[in-house]
Short mmCIF file of all heavy atoms in Angstrom, two decimals:
data_model
loop_
_atom_site.label_atom_id
_atom_site.label_comp_id
_atom_site.label_asym_id
_atom_site.label_seq_id
_atom_site.Cartn_x
_atom_site.Cartn_y
_atom_site.Cartn_z
N GLY A 238 -50.59 30.58 40.36
CA GLY A 238 -51.36 30.69 39.13
C GLY A 238 -51.76 29.33 38.60
O GLY A 238 -51.48 28.29 39.19
N THR A 287 -57.95 20.50 31.71
CA THR A 287 -56.98 19.71 30.96
C THR A 287 -57.40 19.46 29.52
O THR A 287 -56.61 18.96 28.72
CB THR A 287 -56.77 18.35 31.66
OG1 THR A 287 -58.02 17.66 31.75
CG2 THR A 287 -56.20 18.55 33.06
N VAL A 294 -67.87 16.32 28.29
CA VAL A 294 -68.09 17.55 29.06
C VAL A 294 -69.30 18.30 28.51
O VAL A 294 -70.15 18.78 29.26
CB VAL A 294 -66.83 18.44 29.03
CG1 VAL A 294 -67.15 19.83 29.59
CG2 VAL A 294 -65.71 17.80 29.83
N ASP A 296 -71.83 17.06 26.88
CA ASP A 296 -73.04 16.31 27.23
C ASP A 296 -73.45 16.57 28.67
O ASP A 296 -74.64 16.73 28.98
CB ASP A 296 -72.80 14.81 27.02
CG ASP A 296 -72.55 14.46 25.55
OD1 ASP A 296 -72.94 15.25 24.68
OD2 ASP A 296 -71.95 13.39 25.30
N ALA A 297 -72.46 16.62 29.56
CA ALA A 297 -72.76 16.87 30.97
C ALA A 297 -73.31 18.28 31.17
O ALA A 297 -74.29 18.48 31.91
CB ALA A 297 -71.50 16.67 31.81
N SER A 309 -79.24 32.05 15.81
CA SER A 309 -78.49 33.07 15.08
C SER A 309 -77.73 33.95 16.06
O SER A 309 -78.02 33.96 17.27
CB SER A 309 -79.43 33.94 14.24
OG SER A 309 -80.26 34.73 15.10
N ASP A 331 -65.13 36.68 23.03
CA ASP A 331 -63.77 36.52 22.50
C ASP A 331 -63.04 37.84 22.26
O ASP A 331 -61.91 38.02 22.68
CB ASP A 331 -63.84 35.77 21.17
CG ASP A 331 -63.40 34.32 21.31
OD1 ASP A 331 -62.72 34.00 22.30
OD2 ASP A 331 -63.73 33.52 20.44
N ARG A 370 -72.02 49.62 35.00
CA ARG A 370 -70.77 48.99 35.41
C ARG A 370 -69.69 49.38 34.40
O ARG A 370 -69.87 49.20 33.20
CB ARG A 370 -70.90 47.47 35.46
CG ARG A 370 -69.62 46.77 35.95
CD ARG A 370 -69.67 45.28 35.66
NE ARG A 370 -70.79 44.65 36.33
CZ ARG A 370 -71.28 43.47 35.97
NH1 ARG A 370 -70.78 42.82 34.94
NH2 ARG A 370 -72.29 42.94 36.64
N ASN A 376 -53.67 52.67 34.47
CA ASN A 376 -53.21 52.89 35.84
C ASN A 376 -52.98 54.38 36.08
O ASN A 376 -52.37 55.06 35.24
CB ASN A 376 -51.89 52.15 36.09
CG ASN A 376 -52.03 50.65 35.95
OD1 ASN A 376 -53.11 50.09 36.11
ND2 ASN A 376 -50.92 49.98 35.66
N GLN A 407 -64.53 54.90 46.85
CA GLN A 407 -65.11 55.82 45.87
C GLN A 407 -64.01 56.67 45.24
O GLN A 407 -63.07 57.08 45.90
CB GLN A 407 -66.14 56.73 46.56
CG GLN A 407 -67.05 57.48 45.60
CD GLN A 407 -68.17 58.19 46.33
OE1 GLN A 407 -68.04 59.33 46.75
NE2 GLN A 407 -69.30 57.49 46.49
N ALA A 449 -58.26 27.70 26.48
CA ALA A 449 -57.96 28.50 27.67
C ALA A 449 -59.07 29.52 27.93
O ALA A 449 -59.45 29.76 29.08
CB ALA A 449 -56.61 29.20 27.50
N MET A 455 -65.74 29.62 31.81
CA MET A 455 -66.67 28.67 32.42
C MET A 455 -66.32 28.34 33.87
O MET A 455 -66.92 27.44 34.46
CB MET A 455 -66.73 27.39 31.59
CG MET A 455 -67.36 27.57 30.22
SD MET A 455 -69.12 28.00 30.30
CE MET A 455 -69.85 26.45 30.83
N HIS A 465 -73.00 29.78 25.53
CA HIS A 465 -73.98 30.12 24.50
C HIS A 465 -73.34 29.92 23.13
O HIS A 465 -72.33 30.55 22.81
CB HIS A 465 -74.43 31.58 24.65
CG HIS A 465 -75.14 31.86 25.94
ND1 HIS A 465 -76.52 31.94 26.03
CD2 HIS A 465 -74.67 32.05 27.20
CE1 HIS A 465 -76.86 32.19 27.29
NE2 HIS A 465 -75.76 32.27 28.02
N SER A 526 -36.50 9.93 -23.29
CA SER A 526 -37.83 10.21 -23.83
C SER A 526 -38.63 11.13 -22.93
O SER A 526 -39.59 11.75 -23.35
CB SER A 526 -38.60 8.89 -24.03
OG SER A 526 -38.89 8.30 -22.77
N ARG A 529 -38.03 17.10 -21.94
CA ARG A 529 -38.79 18.01 -22.80
C ARG A 529 -38.06 19.33 -22.83
O ARG A 529 -38.28 20.20 -21.98
CB ARG A 529 -40.21 18.19 -22.27
CG ARG A 529 -40.97 16.87 -22.17
CD ARG A 529 -42.36 17.08 -21.67
NE ARG A 529 -43.14 17.87 -22.62
CZ ARG A 529 -44.40 18.23 -22.40
NH1 ARG A 529 -45.00 17.89 -21.29
NH2 ARG A 529 -45.04 18.94 -23.30
N PRO A 530 -37.14 19.53 -23.78
CA PRO A 530 -36.33 20.75 -23.81
C PRO A 530 -37.19 21.98 -24.05
O PRO A 530 -38.23 21.92 -24.70
CB PRO A 530 -35.37 20.51 -24.98
CG PRO A 530 -36.06 19.51 -25.84
CD PRO A 530 -36.84 18.62 -24.91
#
Side-chain angles (χ1 to χ4, degrees):
T287 58
V294 169
D296 296 339
S309 67
D331 256 341
R370 182 194 299 161
N376 297 336
Q407 194 171 89
M455 292 295 288
H465 297 260
S526 68
R529 301 181 64 181

